[in-house]
Amino acid sequence: VPEIREELYRKFVSLLLAGDEALVTPVPGGVQLRSLHFLAGGGMLLLDFSESLAGSFPGGTTAELEFIYFMVDNICYNFREIKKVKFLIGGNESKSLAGHIDLERPFFPDFSWLGDK
């Protein structure tokens, strides 16, 4: 049932955004998920974040990529039906988080970002 799966995705993303006090996560404080939608035909999950994501993002290419792949890799690893993730901010497409990485296209997982560094 799609509604049940989307609620499961929502809970998982909420856990990623909340982080863990014992671990460092690349999520700026105060970021909230507005909505999400799974497009089964393309295996794509749309994540719509509050405007605070772009406004409070620390900036830098590495910081943007760490946030993006933290979300994409964890979601795609845990939910095999999701093949790619697209980010929206405030219900709209955005060119970037802090001016470096193009958000107008969906992201496929790159599990090298999950490796030990």
Side-chain angles (χ1 to χ4, degrees), residues 75-101:
I75 291 167
C76 291
Y77 181 82
N78 286 283
F79 301 100
R80 301 288 185 199
E81 67 273 17
I82 299 174
K83 306 296 183 207
K84 56 190 172 184
V85 177
K86 177 140 175 70
F87 295 88
L88 303 175
I89 299 176
N92 299 303
E93 287 190 348
S94 181
K95 290 190 183 262
S96 70
L97 291 175
H100 300 96
I101 305 302

Side-chain angles (χ1 to χ4, degrees), residues 12-66:
F12 186 79
V13 171
S14 294
L15 289 172
L16 292 176
L17 293 175
D20 184 335
E21 291 181 15
L23 301 172
V24 175
T25 57
V27 179
V31 173
Q32 295 181 358
L33 182 69
R34 292 181 65 228
S35 65
L36 62 76
H37 304 282
F38 179 61
L39 306 175
M44 181 167 62
L45 186 67
L46 292 171
L47 297 177
D48 181 11
F49 290 98
S50 61
E51 289 87 356
S52 65
L53 177 61
S56 65
F57 206 79
T61 303
T62 301
E64 287 185 47
L65 287 170
E66 286 174 346

